Amino acid sequence: YFEIEKIKEKIDVIITDHHQPPEKLPEAFAIINPAKLDCKYPFKKLAGVGVAYKLCQAIWQIEKNDFEVYYNDLLELVALATVADIVELQDENRVLVKQGLKALGTTNILGLKELIVVSKLAGKKIDAGKIGFILAPRLNAAGRLGNAQLAVKLLTTDKEHEAKEIAEFLNNENELRQNIEQEILDEALKMLAEKPPEKTIVLAGKNWNAGVIGIVASRLVEKYYLPTIIFSVDEQGIAKGSGRSIRALDLHKALASMKELFLNFGGHHQAAGLSLREKDLPAFSERFETYVNSTLLPGDFVPTVKIDALAS
């Protein structure tokens, strides 16, 4: 809000997003988000990159004055970010990823080529799994442990030596991220062994790496199948949290029911970020447990597998 308020008189600000919007929206020139109640776009589950790409396509059509032609460049980046955003690969997401995977094999983006090489994927068929577990974590490592601009630089540089250097650095950063993630996960598991969870998991650690706690939350959901929020508490007593949910619980809705506790929060059905004062952590933990306990049924805590087809 503050940034847009300061610059809206000088430039037109267009916001693209796919998270659940807050009750009060910034006074931007335009806010493009399929999750907005008044949005008529037919597909509501686009990733953040998908919304931005739709804007690019619309601008392209206006510039060309031809609404039968679609902008189809850089689909490899759309596929990469769509998979990394962990949205459902259905409808338009599925089409974008399918076409983007084809483009990935013949990409001219220098940094992406070098990232594929250091990831040991050169000459191999790259599918959504390889994006999600190999390429995306290396790109994300830049923002999780330091400066996210490095990932942007990798994807925009036209210097081969620079692309190689950044790709190798991100590969090393990803290994460091994995080590930090394992350390936090080990601490979290030790806490849970001492005090087993009931219907939710809420854990906090002093100066846990805030860029990694979301991955740790995902690991704990996989192991316990309980809504999980992990907090990193800084020196100023501010707890920054990252949450992951199970299918039956709308995490954003749950957090919205107790928003007065937070300094800020946002997200969607199965993932969210939030921050609050360290002194409010016990109250939050209690209210979150109560909400989940009163909202979900016993069967909701049983993992399910959706079967697409039966073998004959």
Side-chain angles (χ1 to χ4, degrees):
Y1 297 93
F2 175 79
E3 293 85 353
I4 292 171
E5 188 65 33
K6 287 292 183 182
I7 65 173
K8 69 178 183 180
E9 300 302 326
K10 298 179 181 179
I11 61 172
D12 292 331
V13 180
I14 298 175
I15 299 171
T16 65
D17 195 11
H18 76 131
H19 295 99
Q20 289 297 324
E23 293 177 8
K24 182 184 177 184
L25 296 172
E27 293 184 9
F29 178 77
I31 298 176
I32 305 169
N33 184 347
K36 283 177 62 184
L37 293 178
D38 61 349
C39 179
K40 295 184 174 63
Y41 196 76
F43 182 56
K44 301 297 183 182
K45 295 182 179 181
L46 283 168
V49 69
V51 181
Y53 195 69
K54 292 284 103 182
L55 175 61
C56 291
Q57 286 186 322
I59 293 172
W60 173 267
Q61 289 178 324
I62 291 169
E63 286 293 312
K64 296 292 181 182
N65 194 28
D66 188 344
F67 290 86
E68 300 299 321
V69 176
Y70 285 91
Y71 176 79
N72 285 315
D73 287 348
L74 302 177
L75 275 167
E76 59 266 53
L77 296 183
V78 180
L80 191 65
T82 297
V83 174
D85 214 358
I86 319 178
V87 293
E88 295 180 28
L89 295 186
Q90 58 179 236
D91 202 282
E92 197 164 5
N93 286 341
R94 193 172 189 86
V95 175
L96 289 169
V97 170
K98 181 180 179 181
Q99 297 303 317
L101 287 173
K102 292 179 183 177
L104 197 55
T106 57
T107 183
N108 291 317
I109 301 171
L110 268 179
L112 198 47
K113 285 182 177 180
E114 293 301 332
L115 191 67
I116 289 169
V117 170
V118 300
S119 301
K120 296 182 172 58
L121 292 178
K124 298 179 181 178
K125 182 180 179 182
I126 300 175
D127 56 18
K130 288 185 174 65
I131 289 178
F133 293 102
I134 299 176
L135 293 177
R138 284 163 172 77
L139 277 174
N140 283 334
R144 293 191 188 283
L145 300 185
N147 181 7
Q149 283 299 317
L150 265 181
V152 178
K153 199 168 185 179
L154 175 72
L155 297 174
T156 55
T157 185
D158 57 1
K159 300 178 179 69
E160 190 171 340
H161 72 277
E162 186 175 54
K164 285 183 179 179
E165 190 176 292
I166 297 173
E168 288 170 3
F169 177 80
L170 291 182
N171 193 52
N172 294 334
E173 284 289 281
N174 187 56
E175 289 183 16
L176 178 59
R177 187 270 306 167
Q178 289 173 326
N179 293 334
I180 294 171
E181 173 194 325
Q182 189 60 51
E183 288 173 7
I184 297 174
L185 180 59
D186 289 343
E187 287 184 51
L189 291 172
K190 186 177 178 181
M191 290 178 181
L192 293 170
E194 293 171 357
K195 187 181 178 182
E198 295 181 17
K199 295 296 195 306
T200 63
I201 295 173
V202 177
L203 299 175
K206 288 286 186 181
N207 296 313
W208 278 352
N209 188 291
V212 172
I213 54 176
I215 305 175
V216 175
S218 294
R219 299 282 183 266
L220 294 176
V221 172
E222 289 172 10
K223 181 175 177 61
Y224 292 94
Y225 203 69
L226 295 173
T228 300
I229 300 182
I230 306 295
F231 288 94
S232 172
V233 182
D234 65 21
E235 302 295 342
Q236 287 72 47
I238 302 299
K240 295 180 181 179
S242 187
R244 300 292 184 269
S245 189
I246 59 178
R247 187 179 295 274
L249 179 73
D250 186 328
L251 188 55
H252 185 272
K253 186 177 180 180
L255 296 179
S257 73
M258 55 196 87
K259 61 184 179 182
E260 69 277 3
L261 289 174
F262 309 138
L263 299 173
N264 55 63
F265 84 100
H268 41 75
H269 188 104
Q270 286 189 258
L274 64 156
S275 65
L276 44 72
R277 292 177 179 84
E278 183 180 11
K279 65 181 180 64
D280 293 325
L281 276 171
F284 166 71
S285 183
E286 183 179 340
R287 286 184 61 176
F288 188 52
E289 178 85 16
T290 299
Y291 181 95
V292 171
N293 198 33
S294 63
T295 304
L296 302 188
L297 300 172
D300 293 329
F301 297 96
V302 179
T304 58
V305 176
K306 182 183 176 184
I307 298 173
D308 295 311
L310 293 174
S312 57

